[in-house]
Amino acid sequence: MSLPAAFLAEVQRLIPADRLFDDPLSTLAFGTDASFYRLIPKLVVRVESEAEVVALLTLASRDQVSVTFRAAGTSLSGQALSDSVLIVLGDNWNGREIRDNGAQIRLQPGVIGAQANAVLVPFQRKIGPDPASINACKIGGIVANNASGMCCGTAQNTYHTLAGIRLVLADGSVLDTEDSASVSAFQTRHAPLLQQLAELGRKTRANSALAARIRHKYRLKNTTGLSLNALVDFDQPLDILSHLMVGSEGILGFISAVTYDTVPDHPHKASALLVFPDVEHCCRAVTVLKSQPVSAVELLDRRSLRSVQDKPGMPTWVKELSPTACALLIESRAASQSLLHEQLAQIMASIAHFPLEKQVDFSEDPVVYNQLWKIRKDTFPAVGAVRQTGTTVIIEDVTFPVEQLAEGVNRLLALFDTHGYDEAIIFGHALEGNLHFVFTQGFDTAEQVARYDAFMQDVAQLVAVEFGGSLKAEHGTGRNMAPFVELEWGYDAHQLMWEIKRLLDPKGILNPDVILSHDPQIHLKHLKPLPAADEIVDKCIECGFCEPVCPSKGLTLSPRQRIVIWRDIQARQRDGQNTRALREDFQYQGVDTCAATGLCAQRCPVGINTGDLVRKLRASAANHSTSATWLAGHFAGALQGARLTLRLADGARRLLGAPLLAKTSETLHKASGNRLPQWTPAMPQAAAPIQFHAPITDARPRVVYLAACVSRAMGPSFSDREQVPLIDKTQALLEKAGFQVVFPAEQDSLCCGQPFASKGYAEQADSKRQELIDALLKASRGGLDPIYCDTSPCTLRLLQDGLDSRLNLFDPVRFIREHLLDRLEIQPQATPVAVHVTCSTQHLGESQGLIDIVKRCTREVIIPEGIHCCGFAGDKGFTTPELNAHSLRSLKDAVQHCDEGVSTSRTCEIGLSHHAGIDYHGLVYLVDRVSRPRVL
């Protein structure tokens, strides 16, 4: 059924067209969240203000149109999907306000959880919830799902740390519990609603059996159903309403702001891994640890440990554990080191009588405890990485009473065997009796669906009925557990939830079939296909962890969405369907606007680099191989041509003036179908060719200077206050530090191959790379001298596929850090400097190194939040400037107090300078300015 015409017409008047999506590609892309369900919305609306939400809900209520809200879409139970109208958060939901020296923080729903914690670091505070997805999930989802996590337990979840909330109900009415005027107006206009909530509370508290059941359920970790504890914990209707919104998964209203009471973030911590001979001893130890000063206790069964034992970096002893082994990963935190040591001694004494098969003692060394936590964090992706193509990874989330944890674990293991889930593993937050179990499941046949249903029916009976536990501890009910809510809660509690739903959403327009559904089969419907697409991406579980670092997210597609679309295209083609229109749309949305820098791989649980898929697609469409070969063989001439083009552009600027040239260039760029580069005032002038000098024999150490082709072609822009070219500045700094600078012979002919690789010409790219390696071997005297590469993307390109072991190659950050700082006296400047950590610097592992160097050179360092990739992506800043503009849309505000920015890529600096309104330079400019030779 289509959406009502009157509703669509009003929405189109209300929301700009560029924030409305109803085309097949976009609706399919947004029809996926991290769960194993798929619903294709008829309309996706990106909202940028509360007023827009109010207006949309008013219209939806009038026309009885169902709506679903989505923040990050990392939810696992199908609660962020819609086959009607999907409302997604835009950029303008990122507000945060720190109060009372960090004791409270007010957040809008678009703030990523990790960002909230980052701004609280100076106060040694954090928000209570700490879900595993905290680097990707947003506050709106954290509140709406009452997310918890490894250290959160039940005491520090949103429900228990809620200080205030601003919400919008289904009828468009707004309540801000921290605004007295809002409260007064709401009490006046919604007096009957508040009276009914108060009455529901009184009736519930008076029903001793029901009240006792509610209190029991929330002594456990529990997100099954609505937060009925609000009715027994509070008697004031506004308090009841506020806390009912927590964990309501969008079925009661929209959360537009929340205020948290923050919790301590103790700076001192230590972790240990204790391996017990069996589940029984392991779980009995948990009951002892529950009263000890521990911040986290994670259980890993033998299957979990086996799933990661062959991964790189894993200790060899993991393979040698007995078949029945069961481990606890324990963490303790404290405000001081001395207190931490007291706690560690107390913890170990409390469980000293338990037999252990293996013990890794408490360590405060980050290398040690990060390795221990890597064992725990790699378990989920380990299952995802080995699953059969076409199947999905399901992670379920139950709670057993802690005193029955051992029996619960063993009964779950027995169910795995009964239903043939041999790959299933169990791990979880043992202190709360909260277990996650992960298994793979196909939904291609009726038999597969029936197997899944039978297994879940047995799980529900075991957990909810036999053990009185929770079927959802922290992942939310969604549509996954909606049919089982009554089984877990009983008839009276289930009817009470329906009564609350009808009271707050009388027309049933908010997220239907989530938490509460009249369809007992809803958990078996709208199951998401995961067809084979390409071995590069077939292991994708569509979790969305990649999205925060993607520069094109919000402009076109995110990595997750690229994979979703490509999977669908491949499946349609196999079915003989015509995919021409979808492929044409995907060319721009998925291929042309992908920066292909690979940051997504760093966030992906199974290590997928969606950029690799995009480069493969570009290669398949690359039909100018002869031209690429000619260019590779005549690279010095091409470089001269680039310099000439820049001179002509600068001549046009002198003739027409910068404003007119920029406008004319933009027009020509669009008219050419993006083939002509777009000129901006940050466009570089031509660089002069390198002046070669023969090496001399003296006492100075030699360094081979590999100047990237962009450095050889591009000088400073006409408007840059720094008019010394990068090559000259770098050479001067190296010589200041006492090095003799040597250049490879025939340098203008050399290239790392990156320009060819990015366009899909792998053969030519590899040829140029090898040619450069041979030249560097000669220039460095067979690897005797270190090699300094002035651009981090070129360094990464040379290192990625394995550099000749004789060569010692450095990017600017590492060379300055290891070879220059000890030779220079640094006098830090007072003015603040903005830092952009390029994608390549992140891949090289030098992010903190860059930041630390800049901190030595200036008293204030600004690192703009949320900008992980500038989107310039080699030459895309010229050919697809909207990608660069979108990625850096928040940069200018973030660096408005800076006079300069630093980076390690000349092309990135062009886009950064243009969009920041300040000049960005290579790191060497700053280091040179604040340094002088150290007297040795």
Side-chain angles (χ1 to χ4, degrees), residues 810-873:
F810 293 82
D811 75 313
V813 177
R814 183 170 161 238
F815 193 85
I816 291 171
R817 180 168 57 79
E818 293 187 8
H819 290 288
L820 295 193
L821 290 180
D822 289 343
R823 293 170 168 265
L824 299 170
E825 296 279 358
I826 304 292
Q827 182 61 48
Q829 66 182 40
T831 53
V833 173
V835 177
H836 177 71
V837 183
T838 66
C839 304
S840 47
T841 299
Q842 295 176 58
H843 285 305
L844 290 166
E846 291 293 343
S847 302
Q848 193 58 49
L850 172 60
I851 295 166
D852 289 344
I853 291 171
V854 179
K855 284 182 175 179
R856 287 190 63 170
C857 297
T858 182
R859 295 191 179 95
E860 185 178 358
V861 177
I862 304 298
I863 304 170
E865 180 185 291
I867 298 175
H868 303 275
C869 170
C870 71
F872 207 92

Side-chain angles (χ1 to χ4, degrees), residues 893-904:
D893 288 342
V895 301
Q896 59 182 314
H897 300 301
C898 301
D899 294 325
E900 178 187 27
V902 300
S903 188
T904 54

